[in-house]
Amino acid sequence: MIANNRLLFPKKEARLYMAFMYVTFISLFVGGLMGLLQTLVRSGKYTLPFNIDYYTILTVHGVILGLVLTTYFIIGFQFSLMGKTVGISDKQLKVAWLSFWVMIVGTIMTAVTILVGEASVLYTFYAPLRAHPAFYIGLALVIIGSWIAAFVNFRQLYVWKKAHKGQKSPLLAFMVTINMLMWFIASLGVASSVLIQFIPWSLGYAETINVLMSRTLFWYFGHPLVYFWLLPAYMAWYALIPRIIGGKLFSDSLARMSFILLLMFSIPVGFHHQLTEPGINPTWKFIQVVLTFMVVIPTLMTAFSIFATFETTGRKKGYTSLFGWFKKLPWKDVRFLAPFIGMVAFIPGGAGGIVNASHQMNALIHNTIWVTGHFHLTAATTVILTFFGIAYWLVPHLTGRRLTPKLNKLGIIQTFIWTIGMTIMSGAMHIQGLLGGPRRSNFSSYAGGEQVETWVHYQLAQAIGGSILFIAILLMVYLFIQLAFFAPRGVEEYPIAEEEADAEPTPKILENWYLWVGITIALILFAYTIPVFDILKHSPPGSAPFDWPIGR
């Protein structure tokens, strides 16, 4: 790698990367507030003021946190990784700014339509619920902006490879390219659905919409979206955390292979979100469930690599007892602690994912709040805590400031508050889901049914957990402001790990892009071509739109 861990970015680069961070943390506050209001309403003890609709705040929460926060953080973080490892030219920088502003325009359009009550369709925007056309146009612009960012990243690596013929690409640049390839291929599904189906339908040019096709195209995108969130966390775990704990990269080859497998097996699996959906042949559902479980392999490879790094580093420091290396990890460094708790949360989160993707067990929890609890373990704990851990060193590195001992201590407090709040809220969601509690629903007593009475305590627990989480959000926003504007001037390290001096050479086949992208496309065509033709051929008549509130 060509990175200089101590060297700050030029100001013109840092401004670009920080622009994405500003949107990220504004989104954290707004989306977190909406989440708090949701849990309070669902407790049955609070009513929204000013006739604000519950489904408006639910849509804001999902779109702002699930789509806006994650996408802006990931693209900004990945731009910084590429800038640090392969560099960025002035021309590339201008195009990167274009990607930011296209995304901003799309985000504003989408946000305004939601806030004025014209797009209470949740972040999945399932048909036949219909939003204002500006909602779909805004989503399309966000996707187009992200594609511009992706092609900037591809160009950055291409230029570097051209100037360094015969050399393997820097690991982090390779990882970014894999993630943006996956994002581009996957988002073709939702982009085609929005452009071909939703926009003409919302404008009144089409009277009906093919509901099954729209959902199939969404979940073709929706599951890889989870890995688009997760892979930047993997980047930190593989190549940044080792530096923070004073170690080295465990295996360059293993890291690359795990990312290749995630590229191949994260896209052709959308049907496991549609196991209860009629109109899809069960054989193809089964095939995509099998492909879903293939993702377990790179996940276990990642777990092995991370803990091997921990133990190897500890042994080199002289800790010889069975778990001495574990005790001596830098638990008082928030840059390590926050991502580590995220790693631990991925264990029950991954187990819940196996439940969701298993046909028989999915029948029990499908469309219950169990799924919401699972989502908050994986995305809102594993991913977000790792993003916070990254922000603690990335923001001061970009602003020329330092993570002081006081701010580090506040970060540790923030991490534990977040963990406690999420444990209470997500745990209550899982249990209520097993008792049949629905998701996506406002508070209701359902006419006093006996089963409903068993949910009430868990909905109160979710409100308690949500309130604790919002305290953690306020503290995180405060820490971001301090690190961006008020912390003492200095140089915070950009912690990219080095390879072992005697590391085995990485096989050249791992950078054969034609091979791995070709296999990925072949798997997608195999998993989707026949089912999509069946859906087009045998779908029932399309649905007329339903506007929210219904019948307005």
Side-chain angles (χ1 to χ4, degrees):
M1 294 186 182
I2 64 169
N4 185 323
N5 291 18
R6 305 295 297 179
L7 185 64
L8 295 176
F9 288 104
K11 288 185 178 180
K12 59 183 179 181
E13 282 187 50
R15 280 195 293 269
L16 170 69
Y17 311 147
M18 278 301 296
F20 285 94
M21 295 300 118
Y22 293 136
V23 179
T24 297
F25 284 91
I26 292 170
S27 300
L28 176 66
F29 176 76
V30 174
L33 177 60
M34 297 301 105
L36 171 65
L37 294 176
Q38 274 180 254
T39 59
L40 293 176
V41 170
R42 284 179 60 88
S43 72
K45 306 293 184 183
Y46 177 77
T47 303
L48 290 170
F50 312 117
N51 293 318
I52 297 173
D53 183 70
Y54 172 80
Y55 293 96
T56 296
I57 65 168
L58 181 55
T59 303
V60 173
H61 176 71
V63 170
I64 293 294
L65 294 187
L67 297 177
V68 175
L69 179 151
T70 51
T71 304
Y72 278 85
F73 182 90
I74 290 166
I75 292 178
F77 172 50
Q78 291 184 161
F79 268 139
S80 79
L81 290 173
M82 297 297 281
K84 186 63 76 169
T85 56
V86 298
I88 185 169
S89 67
D90 288 342
K91 186 176 180 180
Q92 291 165 354
L93 196 64
K94 289 177 182 178
V95 181
W97 272 113
L98 174 64
S99 75
F100 174 79
W101 288 114
V102 171
M103 289 175 65
I104 283 290
V105 171
T107 300
I108 292 171
M109 288 179 66
T110 302
V112 169
T113 54
I114 297 170
L115 292 172
V116 298
E118 293 291 332
S120 297
V121 292
L122 313 190
Y123 97 101
T124 51
F125 55 92
Y126 276 173
L129 286 177
R130 181 174 66 173
H132 190 279
F135 174 83
Y136 303 113
I137 295 170
L139 284 180
L141 287 174
V142 172
I143 293 168
I144 291 168
S146 72
W147 288 351
I148 295 171
F151 281 94
V152 171
N153 293 152
F154 301 157
R155 178 69 181 174
Q156 286 174 280
L157 182 61
Y158 172 79
V159 170
W160 188 92
K161 290 286 286 183
K162 196 172 181 181
H164 300 79
K165 291 186 183 295
Q167 296 183 33
K168 70 177 179 183
S169 60
L171 175 60
L172 284 163
F174 175 88
M175 290 173 159
V176 170
T177 303
I178 288 282
N179 199 31
M180 295 311 278
L181 267 171
M182 182 182 68
W183 170 258
F184 176 71
I185 295 170
S187 59
L188 287 171
V190 72
S192 61
S193 177
V194 166
L195 293 172
I196 297 171
Q197 289 187 287
F198 280 96
I199 291 178
W201 178 65
S202 65
L203 289 169
Y205 294 122
E207 293 183 3
T208 62
I209 190 168
N210 186 325
V211 172
L212 181 57
M213 179 57 72
S214 71
R215 294 188 184 185
T216 299
L217 289 172
F218 178 86
W219 285 116
Y220 167 86
F221 155 81
H223 190 78
L225 173 65
V226 176
Y227 286 93
F228 176 65
W229 300 333
L230 189 61
L231 288 192
Y234 277 22
M235 295 174 201
W237 298 355
Y238 270 113
L240 303 175
I241 293 295
R243 175 78 177 191
I244 290 170
I245 67 172
K248 299 203 177 215
L249 183 66
F250 177 72
S251 170
D252 182 276
S253 301
L254 186 148
R256 290 175 198 257
M257 191 69 232
S258 70
F259 269 62
I260 289 168
L261 292 174
L262 286 163
L263 170 67
M264 292 193 299
F265 294 116
S266 64
I267 301 175
V269 297
F271 284 165
H272 85 243
H273 289 267
Q274 297 175 274
L275 292 176
T276 63
E277 193 109 45
I280 301 173
N281 189 299
T283 300
W284 292 104
K285 291 179 181 178
F286 172 76
I287 288 170
Q288 293 208 16
V289 164
V290 171
L291 291 173
T292 300
F293 287 131
M294 293 297 291
V295 177
V296 171
I297 297 171
T299 302
L300 292 177
M301 289 167 63
T302 301
F304 169 78
S305 177
I306 292 164
F307 281 88
T309 300
F310 293 165
E311 182 168 3
T312 302
T313 302
R315 299 292 184 206
K316 286 183 177 179
K317 291 180 179 179
Y319 304 117
T320 55
S321 63
L322 186 61
F323 293 109
W325 56 271
F326 187 77
K327 295 176 184 176
K328 298 299 182 180
L329 290 171
W331 300 111
K332 295 182 179 180
D333 187 341
V334 71
R335 301 174 303 161
F336 167 77
L337 179 67
F340 181 85
I341 293 177
M343 296 174 198
V344 172
F346 201 47
I347 299 171
I354 292 173
V355 171
N356 296 344
S358 302
H359 203 155
Q360 295 89 337
M361 289 189 286
N362 181 274
L364 175 66
I365 54 84
H366 192 85
N367 274 339
T368 73
I369 202 167
W370 159 288
V371 178
T372 313
H374 162 76
F375 189 82
H376 281 82
L377 266 186
T378 50
T381 309
T382 296
V383 171
I384 294 300
L385 278 183
T386 302
F387 287 2
F388 288 168
I390 293 168
Y392 284 121
W393 57 259
L394 177 61
V395 173
H397 185 88
L398 294 176
T399 57
R401 299 183 185 275
R402 290 187 298 107
L403 176 66
T404 64
K406 180 181 178 181
L407 293 175
N408 179 76
K409 187 175 181 180
L410 279 175
I412 291 172
I413 294 170
Q414 189 276 340
T415 301
F416 281 119
I417 294 174
W418 185 278
T419 303
I420 293 167
M422 191 60 75
T423 301
I424 295 170
M425 188 180 79
S426 177
M429 287 176 172
H430 277 86
I431 298 170
Q432 185 188 347
L434 292 175
L435 296 172
R439 60 178 172 141
R440 304 191 184 100
S441 62
N442 199 346
F443 175 79
S444 174
S445 64
Y446 293 92
E450 290 185 13
Q451 184 180 10
V452 178
E453 292 180 4
T454 65
W455 302 344
V456 174
H457 300 303
Y458 297 107
Q459 291 179 173
L460 285 171
Q462 290 161 36
I464 293 169
S467 300
I468 295 171
L469 274 169
F470 190 65
I471 294 171
I473 287 171
L474 292 176
L475 184 52
M476 189 66 221
V477 171
Y478 169 79
L479 284 163
F480 171 77
I481 293 170
Q482 287 294 316
L483 292 169
F485 301 107
F486 301 110
R489 291 286 180 183
V491 178
E492 189 68 34
E493 181 185 35
Y494 198 111
I496 298 177
E498 298 175 353
E499 273 193 271
E500 296 282 359
D502 57 350
E504 292 287 329
T506 301
K508 290 185 178 181
I509 194 172
L510 293 180
E511 289 202 69
N512 187 331
W513 294 102
Y514 294 107
L515 173 64
W516 304 119
V517 175
I519 293 174
T520 300
I521 293 172
L523 283 170
I524 293 168
L525 292 174
F526 167 70
Y528 274 102
T529 302
I530 294 176
V532 166
F533 276 116
D534 283 345
I535 291 170
L536 291 173
K537 186 177 180 180
H538 301 296
S539 282
S543 174
F546 288 81
D547 294 316
W548 188 264
I550 300 297
R552 70 179 178 189

